[in-house]
């Protein structure tokens, strides 16, 4: 790593020491942390630990790719939604049935894009769509439309299903796959396709994931369904079973990338240019005022109880976590974006709480 300029040199040393301690304590086999200051072209990145433990031990590097899990929600589906609003293809008030006609008459059909993006649609948090849908095409839409739903706008219920729905709406209005749209509208214009992508070339150094779908298997069995329906886990496939069912390209998960790749996507949310100042404000405004959880278009607000932001960030900060052990927070008032990527689910699922580590990391950076 090139030595960062002061004052980030001291922060880098302290963050590196923090990561080494966290690895020794068993939080995850390996970690990469990186941050980017407004107006700076180069981020600071530090790494510690092992990218993989099995079948052989491989050291982690600052260029290691990770399964970003739910960072896909704001970085892909949220960003593409904003661009679809700009193009007039969708609006925040577009109802699902206006685009996905198969949902007409179902409760889901009456929900809006904004309700889906802010987790206020009434959709449940998660269901194994691979058990409910005969195929990832029309069958998937039928399965989504048949889900039991709560009251629209009644409360914030974090839902992967809402982002799968929005992604399908974007595909429908553009006539293209989510991966193609994301590449053509985001990664190619930004020049970051070699650092963040749905398609994962085998030559990349990729952090290990879980070898078996332990958590999903338990959830499927709790619903009285057949865990053998869970799509198989293979090297380079996302941890999320629904994303694997949709060929690894989904609105809720499936994105892979490096720390630098994530930070380059984060940059568009605090340096106007790719997105306008107004679009950034619209996407990152707290749209669930009065609810316990603060949500924007895909983003969680720092004010949310139990968020991983921590007291070092201002209340203007927004971010997201991923089940695989990833997180990204952007504090526009401090002009700083901070990513922490870990492979905590390798070689088996861990349910350890990484929030204390994330909050301490943010404190050291800011």
């Amino acid at each position: 790593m090139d030595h960062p300029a002061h004052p980030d040199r001291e922060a880098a040393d302290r963050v590196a020491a923090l990561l080494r301690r966290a690895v020794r304590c068993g939080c995850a086999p390996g970690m990469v942390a990186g941050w980017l200051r407004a107006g700076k072209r180069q981020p600071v990145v530090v790494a510690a630990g092992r990218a993989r433990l099995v079948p052989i031990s491989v050291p982690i590097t600052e260029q290691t790719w990770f399964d970003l899990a739910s960072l896909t929600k704001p970085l892909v589906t949220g960003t593409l939604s904003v661009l679809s609003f700009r193009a007039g293809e969708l609006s925040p008030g577009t109802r699902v049935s206006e685009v996905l006609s198969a949902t007409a008459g179902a409760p889901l059909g009456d929900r809006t894009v904004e309700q889906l993006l802010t987790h206020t649609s009434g959709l449940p948090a998660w269901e194994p769509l691979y058990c409910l849908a005969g195929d990832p095409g029309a069958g998937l839409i039928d399965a989504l439309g048949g889900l039991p739903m709560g009251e629209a706008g009644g409360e914030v219920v974090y839902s992967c299903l809402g982002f799968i729905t929005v992604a399908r709406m974007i595909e429908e209005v553009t006539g293209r796959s989510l991966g193609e749209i994301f590449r053509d509208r985001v990664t190619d214009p930004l020049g970051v396709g070699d650092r963040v992508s749905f398609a994962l070339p085998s030559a990349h150094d990729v952090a290990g994931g879980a070898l078996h779908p332990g958590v999903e298997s338990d959830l499927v069995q709790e619903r009285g369904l057949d865990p053998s329906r869970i799509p198989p886990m293979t090297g380079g496939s996302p941890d999320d079973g629904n994303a694997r069912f949709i060929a690894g390209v989904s609105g809720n998960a499936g994105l892979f990338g490096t720390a630098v790749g994530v930070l380059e996507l984060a940059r568009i949310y605090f340096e106007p240019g790719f997105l306008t100042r107004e679009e950034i404000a619209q996407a990152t405004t707290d749209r669930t005022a009065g609810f316990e959880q603060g949500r924007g278009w895909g983003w969680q607000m720092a004010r949310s109880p139990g968020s991983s932001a921590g007291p070092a960030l201002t209340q203007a900060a927004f971010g997201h976590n991923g089940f695989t052990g990833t997180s990204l927070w952007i504090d526009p008032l401090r002009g700083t974006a901070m990513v922490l990527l870990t492979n905590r689910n390798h070689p088996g699922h861990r349910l350890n709480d990484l929030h204390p580590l994330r909050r301490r990391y943010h404190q050291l950076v800011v």
Side-chain angles (χ1 to χ4, degrees):
M1 180 187 73
D2 294 332
H3 289 295
H6 181 78
D8 279 327
R9 183 182 296 115
E10 182 179 356
D13 291 342
R14 291 183 175 182
V15 169
L18 173 69
L19 299 190
R20 289 193 295 268
R21 290 197 301 270
V23 168
R24 287 198 302 269
C25 290
C27 291
M31 304 180 179
V32 178
W35 60 96
L36 180 66
R37 312 283 189 191
K40 301 290 186 182
R41 297 314 304 169
Q42 295 298 321
V44 181
V45 183
V46 296
R50 316 299 290 180
R52 293 187 297 280
L53 300 177
V54 293
I56 60 172
S57 180
V58 178
I60 210 160
T61 73
E62 296 159 16
Q63 290 76 42
T64 297
W65 284 58
F66 288 80
D67 177 353
L68 301 176
S70 284
L71 297 192
T72 306
K73 292 181 174 75
L75 294 178
V76 175
T77 309
T79 302
L80 290 178
S81 293
V82 173
L83 296 177
S84 290
F85 299 160
R86 178 196 293 178
E89 297 160 339
L90 293 172
S91 75
T94 300
R95 299 189 182 280
V96 176
S97 61
E98 295 176 46
V99 177
L100 304 177
S101 58
T103 64
L108 177 61
D110 197 45
R111 303 312 197 249
T112 67
V113 172
E114 174 150 336
Q115 289 169 341
L116 296 168
L117 291 176
T118 58
H119 302 281
T120 58
S121 70
L123 275 169
W126 178 85
E127 290 295 336
L129 297 174
Y130 42 79
C131 290
L132 306 177
D135 62 80
L140 181 72
I141 305 302
D142 291 339
L144 288 167
L147 292 173
M149 297 186 65
E151 177 186 356
E155 60 179 330
V156 174
V157 176
Y158 179 78
S159 176
C160 290
L161 307 172
F163 280 74
I164 293 173
T165 304
V166 174
R168 280 304 165 97
M169 294 176 73
I170 293 171
E171 291 181 323
E172 184 67 24
V173 298
T174 60
R176 305 173 68 197
S177 73
L178 191 70
E180 291 175 337
I181 306 163
F182 184 60
R183 182 192 65 224
D184 292 348
R185 293 190 175 182
V186 181
T187 59
D188 277 359
L190 292 174
V192 298
D194 60 341
R195 283 160 284 180
V196 61
S197 176
F198 280 108
L200 188 63
S202 58
H204 281 311
D205 173 21
V206 184
L211 303 183
H212 304 285
V215 170
E216 279 196 39
S217 181
D218 291 343
L219 291 172
V220 168
Q221 291 183 78
E222 287 172 7
R223 288 163 169 75
L225 299 171
D226 181 5
S228 70
R229 299 282 299 277
I230 300 174
M233 304 180 82
T234 59
S237 66
D239 184 87
D240 184 271
N242 282 330
R244 294 198 304 278
F245 179 59
I246 313 172
V249 184
S250 181
N252 69 307
L255 192 67
F256 283 76
T258 67
V260 172
V262 174
L263 289 171
E264 288 299 329
L265 292 181
R267 187 194 297 273
I268 69 176
Y269 281 95
F270 71 102
E271 290 187 356
F274 183 83
L275 297 179
T276 67
R277 203 174 293 276
E278 180 182 3
E279 287 169 337
I280 294 171
Q282 289 175 335
T284 62
T285 291
D286 187 347
R287 295 181 171 273
T288 56
F291 290 89
E292 184 178 41
Q293 290 287 323
R295 292 285 173 176
W297 288 340
W299 296 104
Q300 182 185 40
M301 304 294 107
R303 74 163 176 88
S304 301
S307 85
S308 64
L313 302 189
T314 71
Q315 290 297 288
F318 51 92
H320 214 282
N321 305 317
F323 177 72
T324 52
T326 61
S327 66
L328 168 66
W329 281 92
I330 301 167
D331 192 332
L333 295 186
R334 296 187 181 278
T336 305
M338 293 152 284
V339 63
L340 179 61
L341 305 178
T342 82
N343 55 352
R344 75 166 181 177
N345 286 341
H346 180 67
H349 282 138
R350 291 176 175 86
L351 298 180
N352 54 326
D353 182 7
L354 294 179
H355 281 12
L357 172 64
R358 290 164 175 154
R359 293 166 184 152
R360 177 58 177 156
Y361 162 54
H362 299 157
Q363 184 180 38
L364 292 177
V365 172
V366 304

